[in-house]
Amino acid sequence: MSDKQVKVSFLPGGEQVYVLEGTTVFESAGRAGIMIETPCGGAGTCGRCRVQFTSGKDQPSQNDLDVFSPDEIASGWRLACQTTVNDDAVITIPPGSVLGQEHKIVASPANEETDDDVSPAVRKVHVELAEPTLADDAADLMRLERKIGPFKANLEMLRTGPQILRENNFNVTAVLAENHLIAMEAGDTTGLCMGLAVDLGTTTLAASLMDLSTGRELGIESTMNPQVRFGDDVISRILYADDHPEGKQQLSYAVIEVINELIAKLCDKFGVAAENIYEISVSGNTTMEHLLCGLAVKQLGQLPFVPACARGLVLKAGELGIKIHPAGSAYIFPVIGGFVGGDTVACLLASSSLITGPATLLVDVGTNGEIVLCHDGKMMAASTAAGPAFEGARISCGMRASCGAIEKVVFNNDVRLGIIGGCEAAGLCGSGLIDLVAEMLRAGIVSETGGILTGSDLPADLPEKLAERVKLDSDSKPCFVLKEATDSCAEITLTQRDIRELQLGTGAIRAGISILLRQAGLDATDLSKVIMAGGFGNFIRRSNAQRIGLLPGNISHQKIQYVGNASLQGARLALLSTTLRKNAENLARQASHVELSQDMNFQMEFAEAMIFPDS
Ligand code: FES
């Protein structure tokens, strides 16, 4: 097999992705951010992962022939889990094949009565009011209420409303947040009603611009969290905030500034004015959310790690310094505890339809790894310091999952690389790192303790090309050369230290999983489902996650489901539905917080989990 990259385009959304030839449709869609339903775990037996090739189809598999009629086969229908793409292809994914489609919200048109289940907090109503006369001298806002129902108006609206109405011949659009009139705009602006969902991660931020009138996403931007210059993890940032007189403000300004940059970028890209963004929904861990709001974080670093507040907050975006509509608001997710924050609640919200069966484990892999065990009607939630390796940070050639990131590594007689955007490789993102170390373990290049083997310690049957990639770096330490330097790109290598960083991350998460299972009296084999979330790449291969020990090896593949950046998806849902926002509040209050560091077995579990499992 070659390193040939093929372009796959998905309909109806138009997403495009470059993947290695021979990648399954299921994985290709995952890389494009589309999660396909796989109730049978990709065994090819349930027939639920149906897709239709418009072009680029290959021969059907036996499973395809078992599921589809000859006419359907001829029309390009295939099973996403069984079919590979070997050439450029255009593939339609029907709504029924998309994971969590029941949570895909399309808001009701603003001028119709809205259904609470699918209505955002912010809506617009266009009205053409009859001008006052002697016979009809009702007050201006009462005149408006007659058309759109009762609302509350603040002093600003009382002051400016009469003038806006008259300047526009009583032809205006009312902007309502819940039942508060927050603005009146000239003419009909109902088509310009945007919101922003933000996943505020310790290492990376992702922002999604949403059209609140249709529920559709316009686009996503992501960037590194600039707070990393004050410390890689939440503890070092809490210490920085405490140790420096202006520390908390510096951390707060840094993240607000970068959110404003993301807003400006998205607005520029999609021709939207920032004033037409009326609400922002933010999910982050407790420290990130506190710092965003300028709240004290010192107590989060001291036993018993108590947050200032746990309920979701609705704040004025302008007071936080976020540049959207002057009357716009910011919804900050509720948190479960000091170290289990709004990002976990957002993940739970986004994955709620998948939490079925007697015992479901949710693992959100990030700098802070969050783990929730849903069992026996209860939810136990814990957080563990996994470090930023999964997001490409603290890795010598690491980068976040953006254009040029190696997101897939496969060994045959040499290495094959899947690169985001189909461009030249620039570094290694989290999913590529997991793949690479898993493949090195399988090939016998890395030992169970994580050492890179060299010379005669390498397996005798190791393909020559792979053996040639094991070299010594400038410190005479062994490393693995993934890609030679080119005129435009430096050499991409994996060092011994990189593997240690990965071991710290996998060890922390695995130890957390073991402790939650033990406290619930369960074994990994008792789990009916494992939901993996994370923004470290668009896709993670289950076998590789298990090979490096991130997940217990005795869970069958079929039970493991990867759902992508569920924190961002949860933030989107809270933006689009006030009902789901209430669900988020309930989820946060139902979950109980388990403090892993207080478990006497944590250190032992952690040390054990640092060792890579047997194959
Ligand atoms: S047939 Fe079940 S997931 Fe593809």
Side-chain angles (χ1 to χ4, degrees):
M1 275 183 138
S2 68
D3 260 1
K4 180 180 157 193
Q5 308 267 331
V6 295
K7 184 167 114 181
V8 190
S9 308
F10 291 101
L11 298 174
E15 297 88 347
Q16 291 190 336
V17 69
Y18 286 85
V19 297
L20 271 178
E21 171 192 15
T23 301
T24 64
V25 174
F26 169 66
E27 182 178 333
S28 307
R31 298 231 202 125
I34 308 164
M35 295 300 152
I36 293 181
E37 281 272 15
T38 55
C40 72
T45 53
C46 70
R48 287 283 300 279
C49 61
R50 295 156 179 253
V51 297
Q52 187 178 25
F53 279 74
T54 301
S55 65
K57 67 175 182 279
D58 223 331
Q59 291 307 310
S61 66
Q62 187 54 51
N63 297 78
D64 290 318
L65 295 170
D66 291 344
V67 168
F68 298 110
S69 69
D71 280 353
E72 287 175 319
I73 292 286
S75 309
W77 285 97
R78 298 287 187 274
L79 294 172
C81 69
Q82 301 294 308
T83 307
T84 56
V85 273
N86 298 304
D87 223 325
D88 290 355
V90 178
I91 302 169
T92 298
I93 304 183
S97 298
V98 179
L99 179 67
Q101 189 64 20
E102 66 274 26
H103 272 171
K104 203 146 181 115
I105 292 170
V106 177
S108 306
N111 55 358
E112 286 180 13
E113 207 166 311
T114 54
D115 176 347
D116 274 345
D117 282 336
V118 292
S119 63
V122 176
R123 64 193 175 99
K124 283 187 165 185
V125 188
H126 173 234
V127 290
E128 290 182 70
L129 303 177
E131 296 199 16
T133 61
L134 278 176
D136 177 12
D137 62 353
D140 286 344
L141 295 191
M142 201 173 285
R143 191 171 298 278
L144 184 57
E145 274 191 338
R146 277 192 212 147
K147 277 273 187 185
I148 65 174
F151 57 79
K152 291 178 184 159
N154 60 20
L155 187 58
E156 177 66 14
M157 273 290 89
L158 292 171
R159 282 177 176 160
T160 58
Q163 191 180 347
I164 296 171
L165 284 169
R166 281 163 185 79
E167 279 176 0
N168 295 288
N169 301 321
F170 288 81
N171 177 0
V172 295
T173 296
V175 186
L176 295 143
E178 301 276 11
N179 65 338
H180 287 83
L181 180 69
I182 61 166
M184 263 194 271
E185 296 170 348
D188 183 356
T189 63
T190 48
L192 294 168
C193 188
M194 308 296 163
L196 191 82
V198 176
D199 168 36
L200 175 51
T202 311
T203 304
T204 51
L205 277 90
S208 160
L209 183 63
M210 305 291 298
D211 184 333
L212 299 180
S213 63
T214 62
R216 294 216 173 77
E217 179 178 71
L218 276 75
I220 300 184
E221 282 289 339
S222 66
T223 188
M224 295 300 282
N225 187 333
Q227 291 177 340
V228 291
R229 67 176 183 267
F230 304 106
D232 276 347
D233 50 43
V234 291
I235 293 294
S236 50
R237 289 183 210 169
I238 290 169
L239 289 175
Y240 185 89
D242 191 32
D243 289 349
H244 298 77
E246 299 289 309
K248 192 181 71 180
Q249 285 83 346
Q250 283 177 293
L251 286 154
S252 193
Y253 291 154
V255 81
I256 284 163
E257 201 177 341
V258 84
I259 288 175
N260 285 332
E261 282 170 18
L262 289 173
I263 291 171
K265 231 184 231 182
L266 283 163
C267 285
D268 191 41
K269 199 163 166 184
F270 297 100
V272 169
E275 289 70 34
N276 286 131
I277 299 175
Y278 299 91
E279 191 170 41
I280 170 172
S281 150
V282 183
S283 64
N285 64 52
T286 310
T287 304
M288 291 300 101
E289 289 190 0
H290 273 45
L291 287 171
L292 173 74
C293 300
L295 307 183
V297 289
K298 184 176 179 178
Q299 77 287 356
L300 291 175
Q302 298 169 339
L303 265 171
F305 314 117
V306 175
C309 60
R311 293 192 200 289
L313 301 171
V314 179
L315 305 171
K316 288 200 165 146
E319 284 180 4
L320 294 177
I322 294 170
K323 293 176 183 162
I324 56 172
H325 187 280
S329 55
Y331 173 68
I332 315 294
F333 261 74
V335 305
I336 295 170
F339 281 99
V340 185
D343 48 356
T344 307
V345 179
C347 283
L348 280 169
L349 184 67
S351 314
S352 54
S353 64
L354 300 174
I355 300 175
T356 55
T360 300
L361 186 74
L362 170 69
V363 184
D364 182 21
V365 182
T367 307
N368 245 28
E370 278 97 12
I371 307 156
V372 184
L373 178 61
C374 307
H375 167 59
D376 220 9
K378 299 190 195 97
M379 284 189 284
M380 298 162 68
S383 163
T384 179
F390 294 112
E391 293 169 78
R394 234 191 266 162
I395 297 296
S396 54
C397 292
M399 65 181 286
R400 66 195 164 87
S402 58
C403 190
I406 298 170
E407 63 165 350
K408 179 175 183 175
V409 181
V410 180
F411 282 9
N412 39 24
N413 283 328
D414 198 358
V415 297
R416 299 176 66 222
L417 306 178
I419 300 155
I420 295 178
C423 46
E424 186 171 15
L428 195 61
C429 71
S431 58
L433 176 67
I434 292 169
D435 279 358
L436 176 56
V437 175
E439 289 287 50
M440 288 170 79
L441 281 161
R442 286 192 193 102
I445 301 171
V446 168
S447 69
E448 283 170 16
T449 55
I452 299 177
L453 305 178
T454 56
S456 59
D457 289 335
L458 288 168
D461 59 352
L462 185 68
E464 199 181 324
K465 284 188 176 164
L466 287 175
E468 284 169 1
R469 290 177 180 274
V470 181
K471 297 188 175 160
L472 296 181
D473 63 16
S474 53
D475 295 329
S476 301
K477 299 251 171 61
C479 67
F480 186 84
V481 179
L482 197 53
K483 192 169 179 303
E484 301 286 350
T486 63
D487 289 347
S488 55
C489 183
E491 186 179 70
I492 298 174
T493 58
L494 186 83
T495 66
Q496 187 62 72
R497 220 178 123 191
D498 296 336
I499 295 180
R500 296 291 177 231
E501 289 291 340
L502 183 71
Q503 284 177 293
L504 287 170
T506 52
I509 288 173
R510 245 329 262 295
I513 292 172
S514 300
I515 287 172
L516 283 193
L517 287 173
R518 179 162 340 104
Q519 289 195 6
L522 296 175
D523 183 78
T525 51
D526 296 323
L527 291 169
S528 36
K529 195 173 286 175
V530 177
I531 302 166
M532 281 197 78
F536 43 78
N538 279 332
F539 200 83
I540 185 167
R541 276 150 289 278
R542 295 168 286 190
S543 56
N544 288 348
Q546 289 183 299
R547 184 63 192 87
I548 64 164
L550 185 58
L551 293 177
N554 53 354
I555 301 172
S556 76
H557 282 190
Q558 281 84 348
K559 291 182 181 174
I560 303 170
Q561 187 141 23
Y562 180 60
V563 294
N565 188 343
S567 172
L568 181 62
Q569 176 61 2
R572 287 189 191 103
L573 295 175
L575 195 62
L576 294 176
S577 165
T578 48
T579 301
L580 291 178
R581 197 176 287 192
K582 283 182 195 128
N583 289 355
E585 298 291 333
N586 292 336
L587 286 166
R589 300 288 67 83
Q590 283 164 19
S592 60
H593 184 196
V594 175
E595 182 46 57
L596 293 176
S597 63
Q598 298 306 298
D599 189 294
M600 57 189 281
N601 294 310
F602 182 75
Q603 286 307 330
M604 191 187 69
E605 292 280 3
F606 180 52
E608 269 178 26
M610 289 269 292
I611 306 289
F612 289 123
D614 288 339
S615 55

